[in-house]
Amino acid sequence: MGSVTSREVWPVAYPRGEVRPADFRLVDVPVPEPGTGEVLVRNTWTSVDAALRLRLRETAPPGYFPAFPLGRPLDGVMTVGEVVASHADGFAAGDTVWHAAGWRDYAVVAAGQPALGGVGTLRRLDVRAAPAQAYLGALGANGLTAYAGLLHVAGLRDGDVVWVSAAAGAVGSLVAQIAKLRGHRVIGSAGSAAKVRYLLDEVGVDAAFDYRAGPLPDLLAEAAPDGVDVYFDNVGGDHLRAAIGALRPHGRVAICGMISEYAAERSAPGPDNLMLAVTKSLTIRGFRASAMAHLIPEMTREVGAWIRAGRLRYRETVVDGLERAPAALAGLLRGDNTGKTLVRITR
């Protein structure tokens, strides 16, 4: 690559509360030549996910991915790009690939070596089937989370009524649509009237509400007067408490995230109505998409077919410029996004 340099976004301080641009630094580094078994990728799109906030702490939650070290590029951020040079079998210059070395212009990636959690292995993408950035959302980790969580973790059954929190987000909007495609009644909640309209008009849920519009249990009871059977949890906190109260006997909860706690210095106390899990015989199960990597081919096949047929749609919130990735993350955590938040890498 000669004297070509790459910009990388490095965390330089762990945020206290809201993520700020000052918590990061944009650094120019030389681009190395790939070694044996490696490829050099020019990144074109990189992912912005709420769960990154969990790693922007001195200590990540036990059992989760480790905290991002300060003064180093972020490892484990899903990204797509174009192969510039390859010394790895099965990859050639011009291939569009998916990998986990994001928030930078260029990355040297080892072929066949799993990234964090096993879901970031370098993979060649079929961009004839969908745009490259779709593999960061509906056909990537978000699609896997939605598909595996609803069908395999919650164990969706005939006749289930499903409530999805953060239903206008990258995962929630897919969960709601998959449940509708399987023939279920779906309730979605989100944080603004505009997002409620999006859920009703584009996602196609049966009922939706703005959780800020009143007491959450009352809003849920109005949308689902007979209760729910499945709650897909992206929020935690008061949403999980309301779900436990509304779930019918033998109801199931699939917890993929708790965005209400991501920036908290201390974990909030758990729901005070957990005894209902006993009296109603509820199943409450947390999961991570990285543990469901074996379902990627199944998910890609089924979700991809729905997308090609125009039966499943997704929205993207696109931020242009690598230097704006921290601001994009801050906006996502504030709820400014609809659908998947992406950074289009330009320079």
Side-chain angles (χ1 to χ4, degrees):
M1 290 293 294
S3 60
V4 174
T5 60
S6 173
R7 298 170 304 160
E8 299 180 344
V9 177
W10 292 2
V12 294
Y14 293 115
R16 295 287 184 263
E18 184 171 343
V19 170
R20 303 169 302 155
D23 297 321
F24 299 85
R25 184 158 58 100
L26 193 66
V27 180
D28 289 324
V29 298
V31 176
E33 293 286 343
T36 302
E38 295 180 332
V39 301
L40 175 64
V41 182
R42 179 179 63 83
N43 294 333
T44 53
W45 294 87
T46 193
S47 186
V48 179
D49 301 286
L52 296 178
R53 184 63 181 83
L54 289 172
R55 300 185 62 196
L56 290 167
R57 300 161 65 166
E58 287 88 344
T59 304
Y64 196 64
F65 300 133
F68 289 123
L70 298 181
R72 292 176 54 186
L74 279 64
D75 181 35
V77 181
M78 301 313 302
T79 302
V80 296
E82 180 180 328
V83 174
V84 176
S86 173
H87 294 160
D89 292 339
F91 296 92
D95 285 346
T96 299
V97 294
W98 179 71
H99 63 89
W103 287 34
R104 65 196 86 178
D105 288 321
Y106 290 90
V108 172
V109 185
Q113 179 178 334
L116 291 174
V119 298
T121 303
L122 185 72
R123 184 157 64 100
R124 190 168 53 250
L125 303 177
D126 181 4
V127 292
R128 298 168 301 174
Q133 69 269 26
Y135 291 93
L136 298 177
L139 292 177
N142 300 138
L144 179 62
T145 301
Y147 184 89
L150 182 64
L151 303 182
H152 293 265
V153 176
L156 194 64
R157 304 169 186 166
D158 290 346
D160 279 345
V161 174
V162 180
W163 174 32
V164 186
S165 60
V171 173
S173 60
L174 299 175
V175 174
Q177 290 181 80
I178 293 170
K180 286 300 299 178
L181 286 164
R182 292 295 181 102
H184 295 268
R185 175 173 170 78
V186 180
I187 294 95
S189 58
S192 72
K195 290 182 178 182
V196 168
R197 288 193 298 273
Y198 164 66
L199 292 174
L200 293 168
D201 297 343
E202 295 187 41
V203 175
V205 299
D206 298 284
F209 61 88
D210 176 355
Y211 69 84
R212 294 188 172 103
L216 187 52
D218 295 347
L219 295 167
L220 180 56
E222 182 178 352
D226 297 321
V228 299
D229 302 288
V230 169
Y231 170 50
F232 196 102
D233 192 11
N234 290 288
V235 177
D238 59 348
H239 284 60
L240 179 57
R241 184 185 187 281
I244 291 170
L247 282 160
R248 298 194 283 222
H250 303 286
R252 286 93 65 212
V253 178
I255 305 175
C256 82
M258 291 189 171
I259 195 170
S260 65
E261 296 190 16
Y262 287 176
E265 293 297 317
R266 298 178 181 176
S267 295
D272 60 7
N273 59 347
L274 270 176
M275 185 61 194
L276 292 176
V278 177
T279 61
K280 296 182 181 182
S281 299
L282 304 180
T283 299
I284 301 174
R285 180 181 170 191
F287 74 101
R288 286 161 45 189
S290 57
M292 304 290 178
H294 61 286
L295 296 174
I296 289 176
E298 176 186 326
M299 179 278 294
T300 304
R301 186 168 54 250
E302 190 161 4
V303 172
W306 284 329
I307 291 173
R308 289 190 296 275
R311 302 181 67 197
L312 187 149
R313 295 179 290 179
Y314 56 89
R315 188 182 285 194
E316 297 167 344
T317 295
V318 176
V319 174
D320 283 308
L322 177 63
E323 68 280 1
R324 296 182 63 200
L329 177 59
L332 168 61
L333 294 169
R334 286 193 304 267
D336 295 349
N337 68 304
T338 300
K340 174 66 181 180
T341 299
L342 296 165
V343 169
R344 181 163 38 205
I345 299 176
T346 58
R347 66 177 304 172

